[in-house]
PDB file of all heavy atoms in Angstrom:
ATOM      1  N   GLY G 188      -2.120  -2.199  25.866  1.00 41.00           N
ATOM      2  CA  GLY G 188      -2.727  -1.491  24.748  1.00 41.00           C
ATOM      3  C   GLY G 188      -3.186  -2.459  23.693  1.00 41.00           C
ATOM      4  O   GLY G 188      -2.908  -3.660  23.721  1.00 41.00           O
ATOM      5  N   GLU G 189      -3.895  -1.971  22.713  1.00 43.00           N
ATOM      6  CA  GLU G 189      -4.375  -2.802  21.608  1.00 43.00           C
ATOM      7  C   GLU G 189      -3.278  -2.910  20.563  1.00 43.00           C
ATOM      8  O   GLU G 189      -2.659  -1.916  20.206  1.00 43.00           O
ATOM      9  CB  GLU G 189      -5.616  -2.162  20.995  1.00 43.00           C
ATOM     10  CG  GLU G 189      -6.195  -2.946  19.841  1.00 43.00           C
ATOM     11  CD  GLU G 189      -7.353  -2.206  19.197  1.00 43.00           C
ATOM     12  OE1 GLU G 189      -8.128  -1.611  19.947  1.00 43.00           O
ATOM     13  OE2 GLU G 189      -7.446  -2.220  17.973  1.00 43.00           O
ATOM     14  N   PRO G 190      -2.973  -4.093  20.031  1.00 40.00           N
ATOM     15  CA  PRO G 190      -1.948  -4.231  19.010  1.00 40.00           C
ATOM     16  C   PRO G 190      -2.295  -3.427  17.782  1.00 40.00           C
ATOM     17  O   PRO G 190      -3.470  -3.213  17.480  1.00 40.00           O
ATOM     18  CB  PRO G 190      -1.962  -5.742  18.701  1.00 40.00           C
ATOM     19  CG  PRO G 190      -2.615  -6.380  19.880  1.00 40.00           C
ATOM     20  CD  PRO G 190      -3.581  -5.362  20.414  1.00 40.00           C
ATOM     21  N   PRO G 191      -1.288  -2.926  17.064  1.00 39.00           N
ATOM     22  CA  PRO G 191      -1.561  -2.140  15.883  1.00 39.00           C
ATOM     23  C   PRO G 191      -2.455  -2.896  14.919  1.00 39.00           C
ATOM     24  O   PRO G 191      -2.201  -4.033  14.571  1.00 39.00           O
ATOM     25  CB  PRO G 191      -0.167  -1.891  15.287  1.00 39.00           C
ATOM     26  CG  PRO G 191       0.752  -2.031  16.450  1.00 39.00           C
ATOM     27  CD  PRO G 191       0.162  -3.042  17.342  1.00 39.00           C
ATOM     28  N   GLY G 192      -3.499  -2.215  14.494  1.00 40.00           N
ATOM     29  CA  GLY G 192      -4.428  -2.837  13.565  1.00 40.00           C
ATOM     30  C   GLY G 192      -5.519  -3.608  14.247  1.00 40.00           C
ATOM     31  O   GLY G 192      -6.523  -3.934  13.647  1.00 40.00           O
ATOM     32  N   GLY G 193      -5.351  -3.954  15.530  1.00 40.00           N
ATOM     33  CA  GLY G 193      -6.389  -4.670  16.245  1.00 40.00           C
ATOM     34  C   GLY G 193      -6.475  -6.116  15.808  1.00 40.00           C
ATOM     35  O   GLY G 193      -5.775  -6.598  14.931  1.00 40.00           O
ATOM     36  N   GLU G 194      -7.340  -6.842  16.451  1.00 39.00           N
ATOM     37  CA  GLU G 194      -7.564  -8.240  16.122  1.00 39.00           C
ATOM     38  C   GLU G 194      -8.970  -8.378  15.549  1.00 39.00           C
ATOM     39  O   GLU G 194      -9.898  -7.710  15.960  1.00 39.00           O
ATOM     40  CB  GLU G 194      -7.430  -9.111  17.378  1.00 39.00           C
ATOM     41  CG  GLU G 194      -6.032  -9.097  17.972  1.00 39.00           C
ATOM     42  CD  GLU G 194      -5.002  -9.723  17.057  1.00 39.00           C
ATOM     43  OE1 GLU G 194      -5.388 -10.516  16.191  1.00 39.00           O
ATOM     44  OE2 GLU G 194      -3.811  -9.416  17.199  1.00 39.00           O
ATOM     45  N   ALA G 195      -9.112  -9.261  14.609  1.00 37.00           N
ATOM     46  CA  ALA G 195     -10.428  -9.522  14.037  1.00 37.00           C
ATOM     47  C   ALA G 195     -11.321 -10.150  15.074  1.00 37.00           C
ATOM     48  O   ALA G 195     -10.876 -10.906  15.930  1.00 37.00           O
ATOM     49  CB  ALA G 195     -10.291 -10.444  12.826  1.00 37.00           C
ATOM     50  N   PRO G 196     -12.611  -9.831  15.047  1.00 38.00           N
ATOM     51  CA  PRO G 196     -13.513 -10.424  16.013  1.00 38.00           C
ATOM     52  C   PRO G 196     -13.517 -11.941  15.885  1.00 38.00           C
ATOM     53  O   PRO G 196     -13.327 -12.490  14.809  1.00 38.00           O
ATOM     54  CB  PRO G 196     -14.877  -9.810  15.657  1.00 38.00           C
ATOM     55  CG  PRO G 196     -14.547  -8.576  14.891  1.00 38.00           C
ATOM     56  CD  PRO G 196     -13.261  -8.875  14.174  1.00 38.00           C
ATOM     57  N   GLY G 197     -13.761 -12.583  16.990  1.00 38.00           N
ATOM     58  CA  GLY G 197     -13.810 -14.032  16.957  1.00 38.00           C
ATOM     59  C   GLY G 197     -15.086 -14.530  16.330  1.00 38.00           C
ATOM     60  O   GLY G 197     -15.923 -13.781  15.840  1.00 38.00           O
ATOM     61  N   ASP G 198     -15.271 -15.825  16.355  1.00 39.00           N
ATOM     62  CA  ASP G 198     -16.433 -16.437  15.726  1.00 39.00           C
ATOM     63  C   ASP G 198     -17.589 -16.591  16.694  1.00 39.00           C
ATOM     64  O   ASP G 198     -18.592 -17.223  16.379  1.00 39.00           O
ATOM     65  CB  ASP G 198     -16.037 -17.834  15.192  1.00 39.00           C
ATOM     66  CG  ASP G 198     -14.982 -17.744  14.090  1.00 39.00           C
ATOM     67  OD1 ASP G 198     -14.989 -16.709  13.391  1.00 39.00           O
ATOM     68  OD2 ASP G 198     -14.167 -18.676  13.957  1.00 39.00           O
ATOM     69  N   GLY G 199     -17.464 -15.983  17.891  1.00 43.00           N
ATOM     70  CA  GLY G 199     -18.511 -16.161  18.882  1.00 43.00           C
ATOM     71  C   GLY G 199     -19.748 -15.324  18.608  1.00 43.00           C
ATOM     72  O   GLY G 199     -20.747 -15.490  19.272  1.00 43.00           O
ATOM     73  N   GLY G 200     -19.743 -14.407  17.644  1.00 48.00           N
ATOM     74  CA  GLY G 200     -20.904 -13.584  17.360  1.00 48.00           C
ATOM     75  C   GLY G 200     -20.552 -12.523  16.350  1.00 48.00           C
ATOM     76  O   GLY G 200     -19.413 -12.433  15.868  1.00 48.00           O
ATOM     77  N   PRO G 201     -21.536 -11.664  15.974  1.00 53.00           N
ATOM     78  CA  PRO G 201     -21.269 -10.607  14.996  1.00 53.00           C
ATOM     79  C   PRO G 201     -20.323  -9.573  15.571  1.00 53.00           C
ATOM     80  O   PRO G 201     -20.257  -9.368  16.782  1.00 53.00           O
ATOM     81  CB  PRO G 201     -22.664 -10.018  14.749  1.00 53.00           C
ATOM     82  CG  PRO G 201     -23.436 -10.337  15.984  1.00 53.00           C
ATOM     83  CD  PRO G 201     -22.916 -11.646  16.465  1.00 53.00           C
TER      84      PRO G 201
END
Side-chain angles (χ1 to χ4, degrees):
E189 180 185 321
E194 296 295 338
D198 296 331

